[in-house]
Amino acid sequence: MSQAQHSPLSRRAFLRTTTCTAAAAGIGAIVQRARGATTTQPARPLLPHGVLGRTKFPVTLVSFGAIKLRDHDHTRVLKLAIDKGVNLLHTSDSYGGGKSIAAVANLFKADKTYRDKVFLCLKGLTRQKEAELDKMLATLGTDHVDSWLCELQTPDAGRLETVQALLDAMKKKGKVRHPGFVCHVDMNGSIEMVVEKAPTFFDVALIAMTMAPVPGDRDKDRTGPQSERFVKNLKALREKGVGILSMKSGAAKAVQKGSEVYLPHAKAILQAGADSILTSMDAFEQVEMIAQLDIKSPHLTEKDRQAAIDFKQQRAGACLMCGECTGACPLGLPVADLMRFRMYTQEYGLADQARLEYTALGPGVHNAIANCGLCEVCSGVCPVGLASSATVRETAAMLA
Ligand code: SF4
Ligand code: SF4
């Protein structure tokens, strides 16, 4: 497949919807203001940006994932990122047991103008409830969130109806501007359900991009069928006007390695269909690197392509969030969740987050894990050879 066929963004379309930084890169900025956007308008983007689907928000191509924020120094990292021009921020009351959202709140409370400089996305740990949203808004000192990302982990039509009713109600009350969804378990199944049953409902989707291919990668690995289905689904979602935020692509690891790794990775993720790459940052040098990134074109040179492929291969065992193991375990164990907690610990260095989410699974699951070990049904279905009795037990032992 040619690069042009692979990419939902032609080079011309990409250039039309992006600008390059004036302040950081010294290149004259072409300013785009969203027309008819119903959300808070930040100052015009200083960094390269596109458009976040039907929200029409001029989102920077790299956005700020706040899962690693824990303290006052991290608040300063976030401030620097916003000062440099990053204009979308994602956090949750569940990150770091509330430390992430507190670090964000410290900035918003110190200078209220920072709230209006970002498109704010929130999600919760529990199945979303109004009280949980109210608590986050109160912590942040704001009366609304730009997008509330509600969990659609599997293609569950009943859950979809519940989420739609809740988001409709929150929109009517003015607490939520744009309905959003997030999935960590069965990406393909959940996207297919949204495209079929609620094609115009959601404005924003937070999508795990582990299955996104690198254009021109001829290595037909075990993720091939899931990856092809994912590309098709993402394209369908984009065609419905849903703004795509990328997560779990490996950006958190890539940003630590510097621009030689981050830039090719980012281009590959943008070519796969993301509007913005949510990147977990916790250091000033990471922000400085992002601010100077020459990302005005998503075109991958041969060198970029090889670097993106090499990086993808380093993460060959990462959970795809493909959903193949969903419902497969005879003990009912949430294997994909456990593998995600493993990733938080081993790739993100977020053992505290992993432990919090593991604890939230409850004693029923914890006790059932003690009986895991005989069947290996999960390892039989996992396309990347990650799920197994060994990794399930090891993860549980690590987080208990
Ligand atoms: S090996 Fe363990 S986690 Fe995997 S399917 Fe069997 S019981 Fe479930
Ligand atoms: S553990 Fe394996 S089968 Fe399960 S979601 Fe992750 S990649 Fe897919």
Side-chain angles (χ1 to χ4, degrees):
M1 184 181 281
S2 73
Q3 186 174 310
Q5 284 170 310
H6 245 301
S7 172
L9 283 181
S10 69
R11 188 161 185 269
R12 181 185 294 176
F14 184 91
L15 288 170
R16 204 170 44 232
T17 57
T18 61
T19 64
C20 44
T21 173
I27 303 168
I30 302 161
V31 176
Q32 282 196 331
R33 279 194 181 276
R35 287 194 189 136
T38 56
T39 189
T40 305
Q41 276 296 288
R44 65 191 189 185
L46 293 173
L47 296 177
H49 63 281
V51 177
L52 188 59
R54 69 173 132 262
T55 71
K56 305 284 191 231
F57 184 84
V59 66
T60 48
L61 299 180
V62 179
S63 42
F64 197 100
I67 192 169
K68 288 185 165 182
L69 303 191
R70 295 289 183 273
D71 55 29
H72 182 68
D73 281 347
H74 288 160
T75 301
R76 291 170 57 223
V77 172
L78 172 63
K79 179 178 182 300
L80 179 67
I82 298 173
D83 288 344
K84 292 284 182 184
V86 173
N87 73 357
L88 184 143
L89 165 67
H90 169 61
T91 188
S92 167
D93 199 29
S94 66
Y95 292 163
K99 288 181 182 164
S100 164
I101 202 163
V104 175
N106 284 341
L107 178 59
F108 288 179
K109 284 173 185 168
D111 184 340
K112 290 191 187 308
T113 65
Y114 279 84
R115 164 64 188 94
D116 293 334
K117 290 177 181 176
V118 292
F119 186 101
L120 178 65
C121 296
L122 296 175
K123 81 172 176 70
L125 175 65
T126 57
R127 292 207 153 189
Q128 286 69 31
K129 297 180 183 66
E130 184 173 2
E132 186 182 34
L133 177 63
D134 287 344
K135 183 175 172 232
M136 288 193 280
L137 295 179
T139 301
L140 292 168
T142 184
D143 63 355
H144 73 279
V145 60
D146 295 297
S147 186
W148 194 23
L149 303 160
C150 291
E151 291 180 353
L152 293 176
Q153 304 289 28
T154 57
D156 174 344
R159 170 71 184 156
L160 175 62
E161 280 178 25
T162 303
V163 161
Q164 286 182 283
L166 177 62
L167 284 165
D168 270 337
M170 295 304 97
K171 256 182 100 171
K172 278 189 190 124
K173 290 186 180 183
K175 296 180 185 178
V176 173
R177 295 281 163 86
H178 298 282
F181 77 91
V182 57
C183 172
H184 297 94
V185 177
D186 183 352
M187 276 316 326
N188 278 321
S190 293
I191 295 174
E192 283 160 9
M193 174 180 70
V194 167
V195 169
E196 186 198 334
K197 296 185 186 299
T200 57
F201 184 81
F202 295 98
D203 295 342
V204 180
L206 181 53
I207 299 288
M209 296 288 279
T210 323
M211 286 185 275
V214 177
D217 184 2
R218 293 193 175 82
D219 181 15
K220 294 284 177 203
D221 62 14
R222 287 167 294 172
T223 70
Q226 287 84 6
S227 182
E228 281 171 25
R229 188 174 155 207
F230 177 73
V231 168
K232 198 169 140 232
N233 285 334
L234 200 58
K235 185 166 182 279
L237 201 58
R238 285 182 64 90
E239 284 171 358
K240 300 299 177 196
V242 180
I244 308 293
L245 300 177
S246 146
M247 66 168 179
K248 309 287 185 287
S249 69
K253 192 172 181 178
V255 80
Q256 293 172 351
K257 291 176 178 280
S259 59
E260 300 78 16
V261 174
Y262 187 87
L263 182 60
H265 170 69
K267 287 178 173 180
I269 295 298
L270 292 168
Q271 285 220 9
D275 294 309
S276 184
I277 304 160
L278 206 58
T279 303
S280 301
M281 293 178 243
D282 61 355
F284 297 109
E285 59 268 24
Q286 295 165 2
V287 174
E288 296 287 358
M289 184 271 282
I290 293 296
Q292 292 178 36
L293 211 58
D294 181 11
I295 198 172
K296 56 187 178 297
S297 162
H299 174 69
L300 286 152
T301 63
E302 200 42 51
K303 192 174 162 210
D304 287 338
R305 197 185 319 280
Q306 198 50 56
I309 290 168
D310 289 348
F311 180 65
K312 192 170 170 65
Q313 282 173 351
Q314 285 171 29
R315 301 187 74 241
C319 177
L320 301 176
M321 301 180 196
C322 67
E324 295 291 323
C325 59
T326 306
C329 175
L331 299 179
L333 293 177
V335 178
D337 286 336
L338 293 165
M339 295 305 108
R340 186 171 75 259
F341 307 159
R342 186 182 177 83
M343 181 187 67
Y344 284 150
T345 307
Q346 296 184 336
E347 185 169 318
Y348 285 54
L350 288 174
D352 62 344
Q353 184 65 31
R355 205 162 279 124
L356 276 167
E357 297 202 28
Y358 177 77
T359 303
L361 292 178
V365 171
H366 301 159
N367 294 336
I369 291 173
N371 297 318
C372 156
L374 298 174
C375 75
E376 296 299 344
V377 170
C378 58
S379 52
V381 298
C382 181
V384 292
L386 171 65
S388 70
S389 60
T391 50
V392 164
R393 283 171 164 269
E394 191 183 281
T395 303
M398 202 159 60
L399 300 177

